[in-house]
Structure formats: C-alpha cells, structure tokens
Amino acid sequence: MKKWMRQLFLTLSLALTVLFGYGLFSAYMDVTSPPRAEILVKSEERPATPGDTYIALGDSLTRGVGSSNGEGFVPLIGNVLKENHTVERFQNLGVRGARIEDLLAQLEQKEVKRSLKNAKIITITIGGNNLFNSGEILKKYSEETALGILETQIPNLEKTFKHIRESNPNAVILYMGLYNPFKQSPNGDSFDSIIQKWNESARTLGLKYSVQVVDTFNLVTDAKRDLSSDVFHPNDSTYQQIADSMSLVIEKSIIQ
C-alpha cells in the first residue's frame, strides 16, 4: 500500500472511531441527561374549543420516547376514549426531560390553565428525572442521597397534585407511578426500595387530592424485555401495558 493511501486509511479510521465514540456518549447523555425542551414559550391565546378532552402532562414518558412511533401510551388511550365517545379530542403536553419544577412552571401558562380547566381526563408522568437526577445518582450511588431527593421532591409532587386538582375539581386525574429501570445495576434492590417509597408517598397524596395512582412498578422487571434500546424508557409492549392499566382505571372512575 502506498504511503499516502496508508495515511488516508489511518485518518479515516481515526475519524470513524471518534464519531462512533461521540455517538455512544451522545446516546448515554440523551438517556441520563435528556434535553429539557422549552416549556415557557408563550402561546397565542385562542378561543376555547368545545367538547370533552383528555390532557396528558409530564415528561418523556408522556411524550412517548422509546416507542417505535415516538408516541407512547397517550394516543393508545386517547383514540380508545374517542372511539367510546368519552372525549372528543386529546392533547399531549408532555415535555421531554421535564422535572417537577418544569411542570409547575408549565401549569402557570394561560393556555395550559384553560386546557386543564376544560379537561375531562388528565394523566401525569413526572418525578423520574428528579429522582434519577439526570443519571448522577448512578455514578456515586448512595441510598441516603436518594432518600434525600425523595424527601425534597415529594412536597413538590404534592404542589403539582394540588395545583391540577384546584384547576379542575371534577376531572379524572391519573398519576403514573415510577418503575425501576436500573434493576440490573449493582444497586438495583436499593433502588427498588426507594422507588416503592416514592410510589407509596404518591398514593398517600393521591387520596388527599383525588388523584388515581396507576402502578407500573411490576411492568418493568427485565430491562432487555420491557425497555427500549436505551434501557431506560418503555418499549412498545410496555407502553401498551401502561395504556391498558390507565384505561382500566379511567373506565372504572367514569362509571363511578
């Protein structure tokens, strides 16, 4: 091989290696520290649209990250509700990477306030990004640190439930409990305990503010089987199970 061809080959190999490494790093950061979309952009005030609606609030789980079509459980629930004439439309207000403080800020937007006020059904997924702390909690895991996050953030979760319930006293409101995406990690059992404490606190708040807490903890027991390729968000099958669980709670609540 001529010298210039050898040098070209080495240069291209190095470039590909760098690009591959960057790709892996980007994928890791996208999971552990997902981009937080802009949620405070002012929207134009529009006339209210008549008819019952289903509003979905929350983070990347509400957005549907991990599903093959990028839509997740919201349209699975929404389309069934429309077919059953329970609602006339549904709206996904989920924000990828959102934390509780982001959702609280979003709830102050005029358009969001009006959407909530007119909603018949509201679902919420929030808290995972707070508890997992953008992946930092895995780097130097401490159960004491995790419990500290829980102690700090549960009052904020209560603010969220209170705000949404006050915005709409009559809506059926559902909160999706957290699952453990880190079961296979060395600290998986400890994380199980932390997440169960979070979910138990959420259930207590749910009783106070008439928010139904949907248990998804047991839907994720095997990361390879139950999660998408990022080993963090649900795959299509798990999103379907989440939708089925939520739909069952909605159906029972509406009948009551």
Side-chain angles (χ1 to χ4, degrees), residues 34 54 56-67 70-75 92 94-98 123-129 132 175-179 181 216 220 227-228 230 232-235 238-239 242 246:
Y54 156 40
L57 300 166
D59 49 27
S60 56
L61 295 175
T62 291
R63 282 268 41 114
V65 176
S67 60
E71 295 183 342
F73 70 84
V74 173
N92 191 333
V95 178
R96 188 176 182 181
T123 61
I124 314 162
T125 67
I126 203 70
N129 291 318
F132 304 145
Y175 172 75
M176 191 186 106
L178 304 185
Y179 60 83
T216 63
V220 178
L227 299 179
S228 63
D230 63 20
F232 189 83
H233 295 97
N235 57 22
T238 303
Y239 269 124
I242 290 171
M246 286 190 163

Side-chain angles (χ1 to χ4, degrees), residues 131-188:
L131 187 58
F132 304 145
N133 197 26
S134 300
E136 291 296 323
I137 199 166
L138 293 178
K139 296 178 182 178
K140 275 189 174 182
Y141 180 74
S142 162
E143 188 168 300
E144 183 179 356
T145 300
L147 287 170
I149 294 172
L150 189 149
E151 185 177 348
T152 301
Q153 295 302 325
I154 287 300
N156 291 329
L157 184 65
E158 178 170 13
K159 289 179 185 177
T160 304
F161 285 9
K162 184 174 186 290
H163 194 303
I164 295 173
R165 176 49 74 195
E166 288 178 348
S167 298
N168 190 324
N170 301 314
V172 174
I173 304 175
L174 283 70
Y175 172 75
M176 191 186 106
L178 304 185
Y179 60 83
N180 184 4
F182 309 126
K183 272 186 187 295
Q184 276 69 48
S185 74
N187 299 299

